[in-house]
Amino acid sequence: MTSTHDTSRPRVPAVPGRTDRAAAWLAVLACLPYLTLKTAWVAGSPVGIPPGSPLLDHSLVLRLANAGTVVMDGAVIVLVLLLVRPWGLRAPWWLLLVPAWIATGLLLPIVLGYPAQLLAGLLGASGGEAEPFLANWVFAVVYGGFIVQALALGTLFARYVARRWPDVVRARLDGLRPGGSQRAPQWLAAGTLALTPFPLALQLAWAAGASAGLDAPGSVNSRVVAATHACALLLAVAGTLSLTWRRPPRLPLGVPLAATWLGSGATLCWALWMLLPMVSGAAADETSPLLLLVHLVRTLVGALAGAGLVVALRARAGRTGTRGAA
């Protein structure tokens, strides 16, 4: 994929500058606490794990999960290099956008949820909490690092997109026209709209304290998590419908693209993350058919909304006569 060249004045420097370098260092440093703890756990260290925690079992599933997350967080460093090095502008689009979409999807619920959980605790809403499987300082260090990482990566990614695809950044929604089959975006939007109400209703009910499909009413922290997943579903469906029907027409194209990007990534990635212990048997005792169905449908919603995002970007590429936005 070649980049789109724009002769108008760019909104950010044509090459990475001081802001990009600072954000890059911040993103890399924010990875270190998580990488250090996970590496220690893979090696068998109990640091940060209280007595009686199931994490002390050191089962094969847990070791593989810890090793996998070490690789995932290490991949953030590679992503940072793509965003700040000159050769990153020549990299294939999928090499950048796919890992960036996954990273965004995994980090968004933490950025929204963890501060809300802290606020709930400060306000005294902490009843019903289960015994923590990790020390409180671990959550503060790891989730604090994730939030810093998300803000730094978001800054780098936004500036990268403005350099590589300025026409997409400057476009309005009424400039988006279907490319190829006009039925594809409509079917994707219809599927997203049809599937979303079921998981959205359950997530909102859990956020309100309902126990349908759960062993017991959720704790305050789990209710906050349910609310963040409901927000992700709303972003996915709202962004998809806006891109499909191009309404409101004068809206900057980046707004529904960002909504779909954030919502689809968070919905799909976290649904798969929650399905993993269920299908592997690690959380078989806590899995109900309703809970399993909710996460399966969320996976479909995220996949359909993500496909709609790809169709919209290809449509924009066709509109501009270039493949730079694809």
Side-chain angles (χ1 to χ4, degrees):
M1 182 183 71
T2 58
S3 62
T4 301
H5 296 281
D6 196 294
T7 57
S8 60
R9 184 180 178 182
R11 295 185 179 180
V12 298
V15 296
R18 185 175 301 174
T19 299
D20 301 272
R21 290 192 293 270
W25 276 109
L26 199 59
V28 171
L29 291 175
C31 294
L32 297 182
Y34 188 76
L35 286 173
T36 302
L37 279 171
K38 285 288 185 173
T39 303
W41 294 340
V42 170
S45 172
V47 59
I49 305 177
S53 171
L55 297 179
L56 291 174
D57 295 340
H58 298 302
S59 66
L60 178 60
V61 173
L62 286 175
R63 286 182 179 271
L64 290 176
N66 284 330
T69 52
V70 167
V71 174
M72 289 168 61
D73 208 43
V76 171
I77 300 174
V78 179
L79 180 58
V80 167
L81 291 175
L82 278 169
L83 292 171
V84 297
R85 301 305 299 167
W87 49 264
L89 291 171
R90 301 188 298 272
W93 66 270
W94 55 266
L95 188 61
L96 170 80
L97 295 187
V98 173
W101 181 68
I102 294 172
T104 303
L106 291 173
L107 291 172
L108 177 64
I110 296 174
V111 172
L112 296 178
Y114 186 60
Q117 290 174 339
L118 292 178
L119 179 60
L122 291 175
L123 296 176
S126 58
E129 300 296 333
E131 189 71 21
F133 61 94
L134 284 172
N136 288 332
W137 67 264
V138 174
F139 289 105
V141 169
V142 171
Y143 284 178
F146 281 161
I147 291 173
V148 172
Q149 186 182 119
L151 296 176
L153 281 175
T155 300
L156 286 172
F157 184 69
R159 293 170 65 83
Y160 178 97
V161 169
R163 280 192 292 269
R164 185 164 181 175
W165 300 296
D167 60 309
V168 175
V169 175
R170 294 181 173 89
R172 291 193 301 265
L173 198 52
D174 57 1
L176 185 67
R177 292 293 182 270
S181 173
Q182 297 188 18
R183 291 186 176 273
Q186 295 177 2
W187 280 112
L188 291 170
T192 303
L193 184 61
L195 291 173
T196 298
F198 168 66
L200 178 60
L202 265 295
Q203 295 290 352
L204 290 174
W206 293 334
S211 60
L214 306 175
D215 293 336
S219 65
V220 172
N221 284 344
S222 64
R223 290 167 64 179
V224 170
V225 171
T228 62
H229 293 322
C231 290
L233 285 165
L234 289 172
L235 282 173
V237 70
T240 301
L241 294 178
S242 181
L243 290 173
T244 302
W245 303 109
R246 299 186 293 282
R247 295 289 184 274
R250 306 297 291 178
L251 186 71
L253 179 59
V255 174
L257 284 177
T260 311
W261 176 279
L262 294 169
S264 63
T267 297
L268 178 62
C269 292
W270 274 92
L272 290 175
W273 186 254
M274 291 181 171
L275 281 172
L276 181 62
M278 296 181 183
V279 300
S280 66
D285 296 339
E286 304 173 6
T287 302
S288 67
L290 183 60
L291 189 61
L292 182 63
L293 183 59
V294 167
H295 296 324
L296 285 173
V297 176
R298 286 175 60 215
T299 301
L300 292 175
V301 171
L304 289 173
L309 179 66
V310 173
V311 170
L313 291 174
R314 291 178 63 87
R316 177 61 192 172
R319 176 70 172 172
T320 58
T322 177
R323 301 185 61 191

